[in-house]
Every structure is written in C-alpha cells, then in structure tokens.
Amino acid sequence: MKYGIALFPSKRIQDFANSYRKRYDSHYALIPPHLTLKEPFEADDQQIKEMVKELRKIAAETDLIPLKVTKFSSFYPASNVIYLKVEPNETLQRLYERLHSGIFADKPEYVFVPHITIGRDLPSAEYADVYGQLQMQKVHFEETVDRFHLLYQLENGSWTVYETFLVGGKEQE
C-alpha cells in the first residue's frame, strides 16, 4: 500500500489555499491542503506497524511546529507548480530529517522546500498569467501545528489519514 506523511494547517489556511486549489490544482479532490513531510512510499502491514511505533517516538520528541506562510512562490522552471511558501524553521527541518533516516531512510527526490501546493499541471500560458497575478498579493499567516499524519492512498487516488501523531509532548488521543 502507498503511504505518505504530511501536516495539515489550520482551517483558515486550508480555506485560503482551497480558494485557489479548486481552480488550479488537479489534486484538489484527492487531498486537503497540506505540507508534505515525506513523499509517497510503499510499505506492507508489518513495516507500517514498525513505522507507527517510530512515528510515535518522533512525535513525542518533536516540539510544536511553527508555520509561517509568507507569499506565493513557484518551482518554475523545474515545474509549473505554484505554492504558498512556508518559511523554513529548525523544528520543521529536524522533523523532515527524522522522517528520512532510520527505518524511514531514503534519498528524497527533491531538497526540502516547505510549501502548500495551490496549483499544478497548468499549461505554460495559464501558469504565467496566474502566477503573475498571485505574486502581487500579500500573504501572511502564522500559527503553531501540534500534529502530523500518516496517510494512505485509496484505490481512487485520494488520501486519507491512517494515524495522527501529536507533537509537543502531548499525549496521544
């Protein structure tokens, strides 16, 4: 089965992101606005049991996660992806690194750029027009996130939460 690890921002940020995603993101119906911490990976039931134990440990040792969203940005020319930039911080970086070491060890395809995708698969002309307009907008959100999620992919391509992990020394619900 295919799994991934992500964190979901507050409803306020999700609503803001979705106001663009419904028009510009081909994955709008598959997953809510999120910040990917670990790209999709394959695992069997036994591996997931071990990973869940390790994720609980990582969560218990992770501080509350500050999120500061500051602007629209893009991965152009690598791809026509438009996103909300999340300012890097030590807590987020350390969590990302822990999710790519030990039993999670892999070589990420890309350098970690914290972001929330709002547009993808746009034709070049539309991308240029949309991104040009979005760049002029002011964006500023600051919040603290107290959990991340192990997700799994359903047959229809959508993602759903397998388990939630509370950070900041909080007890698991």
Side-chain angles (χ1 to χ4, degrees):
M1 189 173 283
K2 194 175 274 189
Y3 295 89
I5 302 172
L7 60 83
F8 296 113
S10 66
K11 181 177 181 330
R12 194 173 68 126
I13 293 177
Q14 287 193 42
D15 288 349
F16 180 77
N18 274 335
S19 70
Y20 297 98
R21 288 182 72 228
K22 63 185 167 194
R23 287 176 283 178
Y24 306 125
D25 187 356
S26 59
H27 293 184
Y28 172 74
L30 302 178
I31 188 168
H34 64 282
L35 189 153
T36 301
L37 295 169
K38 186 163 184 68
E39 293 291 331
F41 60 93
E42 294 285 338
D44 62 31
D45 289 348
Q46 186 55 42
Q47 289 170 312
I48 281 301
K49 282 181 186 168
E50 291 172 31
M51 288 179 176
V52 165
K53 279 187 211 166
E54 186 63 19
L55 289 169
R56 287 184 185 133
K57 181 175 179 242
I58 291 170
E61 297 168 356
T62 299
D63 293 331
L64 293 171
I65 305 162
L67 282 191
K68 185 175 181 181
V69 180
T70 56
K71 66 179 184 176
F72 288 101
S73 195
S74 169
F75 288 126
Y76 183 84
S79 71
N80 287 358
V81 169
I82 301 170
Y83 61 86
L84 289 168
K85 178 179 174 52
V86 175
E87 292 297 324
N89 64 65
E90 192 177 320
T91 305
L92 206 47
Q93 185 64 39
R94 195 167 40 247
L95 177 57
Y96 177 83
E97 288 167 5
R98 292 197 65 188
L99 296 174
H100 290 82
S101 62
I103 65 171
F104 300 102
D106 64 355
K107 180 125 174 69
E109 192 175 344
Y110 305 104
V111 170
F112 182 48
V113 176
H115 69 281
I116 300 164
T117 299
I118 60 139
R120 75 179 89 216
D121 303 326
L122 298 171
S124 293
E126 183 181 12
Y127 159 82
D129 183 47
V130 170
Y131 185 54
Q133 290 176 37
L134 293 177
Q135 276 186 298
M136 294 185 277
Q137 291 191 33
K138 288 195 186 315
V139 177
H140 186 86
F141 294 99
E142 281 191 63
E143 65 184 36
T144 303
V145 177
D146 67 356
R147 63 197 65 202
F148 62 89
H149 311 272
L150 175 63
L151 308 167
Y152 66 98
Q153 192 171 36
L154 301 172
E155 286 182 19
N156 67 1
S158 67
W159 290 87
T160 194
V161 173
Y162 182 88
E163 190 161 332
T164 297
F165 303 90
L166 298 176
V167 301
K170 289 190 167 191
E171 290 296 315
Q172 296 295 317
E173 295 170 356

